[in-house]
Amino acid sequence: MAEPQAERRVVVVRSGPYRVEGDIRLLRTAIVTTEHGEPIAWDEGPDFDTPDTYELCRCGMSETKPFCDRVCERLGFDGTEVADRGPIARRREPWQGKGVVLYDDRTICTHAGFCTNLRTTVWTLADEADDPVARAEFVAMVHQCPSGRLAFATDDDPDTLVEPEFEPSIGVEPNASYWLRGGIAVVSEDGTPYEVRNRQTLCRCGNSANKPFCDGRHKRSGFVDPAVPS
């Protein structure tokens, strides 16, 4: 009889790495921008070679990024978790548009920048979502938001989020966060699970004030890792 597959999850190790369990695909996911620096899409791949269980650097100092080399132990990394463990529905704010409700949880924003461009914003597009062209752009903006800060439902079913389908995988963003897709569980160092969400971003620079989740501080701290598989 075949061995049952381990649960796909990311376990936060106390002031240490993320332990990834369940044979989760790890790949490079880079933001594609226009000539003006506007984020418009994601470029995916190549993959990192990984075993069924592996450890990802959380302090930002490993010489084998994105994998942990235990430098966190030598440096005394403080990875204390401070993020809200309650459901996102308790934090997000609704924005009523034309036929859609845009939900916004600013506490998990990574400042990826998909919500605005030189022409418009996702909030403006929500107000114009009765137009098919505006609605298509609105959906694309929301679904490209890596952290899940932005989500939406339709007026016909306001309690059900419209989410993109993802293969369970972890994207390593160049000079930025880990992008968890496809409903991967995140478990606290004390064994408490966080709410399972379709899109989440975990800090990998070590500087977030919302650990274990990313808050965009990799930009201010000058974190650098091109995330290129060897």
Side-chain angles (χ1 to χ4, degrees):
M1 181 179 295
E3 290 283 335
Q5 185 176 23
E7 178 188 1
R8 292 189 180 102
R9 65 179 193 168
V10 174
V11 179
V12 182
V13 177
R14 186 181 301 273
S15 293
Y18 300 111
R19 188 173 68 249
V20 182
E21 303 173 352
D23 194 19
I24 301 175
R25 180 187 178 197
L26 185 71
L27 71 156
R28 187 177 193 264
T29 52
I31 294 176
V32 178
T33 62
T34 68
E35 61 181 351
H36 303 294
E38 304 162 290
I40 55 170
W42 288 94
D43 179 47
E44 301 204 357
D47 284 34
F48 292 85
D49 186 22
T50 59
D52 290 354
T53 299
Y54 52 93
E55 293 184 337
L56 295 176
C57 174
R58 188 158 73 98
C59 70
M61 300 299 292
S62 173
E63 293 186 2
T64 59
K65 297 183 191 71
F67 302 105
C68 175
D69 66 358
R70 294 291 171 175
V71 69
C72 47
E73 297 176 354
R74 300 193 297 274
L75 296 179
F77 168 63
D78 181 3
T80 303
E81 296 171 70
V82 296
D84 186 341
R85 301 193 187 191
I88 193 172
R90 192 173 65 192
R91 301 187 304 268
R92 67 191 182 195
E93 299 178 358
W95 178 284
Q96 181 63 57
K98 293 289 182 64
V100 297
V101 182
L102 175 64
Y103 292 109
D104 186 355
D105 177 9
R106 298 184 182 185
T107 69
I108 56 173
C109 181
T110 68
H111 304 283
F114 283 101
C115 56
T116 62
N117 59 37
L118 294 179
R119 296 182 298 100
T120 189
T121 72
V122 71
W123 297 273
T124 299
L125 291 169
D127 291 338
E128 301 170 350
D130 53 342
D131 174 76
V133 175
R135 190 185 185 99
E137 187 174 5
F138 165 79
V139 172
M141 274 190 172
V142 173
H143 284 177
Q144 288 166 343
C145 170
S147 68
R149 167 193 169 171
L150 298 176
F152 81 94
T154 65
D155 284 357
D156 294 335
D157 190 3
D159 296 323
T160 303
L161 297 182
V162 179
E163 280 285 317
E165 290 189 13
F166 288 116
E167 167 200 359
S169 58
I170 299 175
V172 184
E173 298 180 43
N175 309 322
S177 47
Y178 296 116
W179 183 20
L180 277 59
R181 297 100 60 87
I184 297 172
V186 177
V187 180
S188 170
E189 62 185 27
D190 65 9
T192 305
Y194 289 91
E195 178 184 31
V196 176
R197 296 188 284 111
N198 188 40
R199 293 171 285 142
Q200 303 182 82
T201 46
L202 296 179
C203 173
R204 77 181 187 101
C205 73
N207 295 302
S208 174
N210 193 39
K211 291 183 181 71
F213 301 104
C214 172
D215 69 354
R217 295 197 183 205
H218 49 265
K219 294 182 178 180
R220 280 177 279 168
S221 65
F223 174 69
V224 176
D225 175 44
V228 178
S230 57

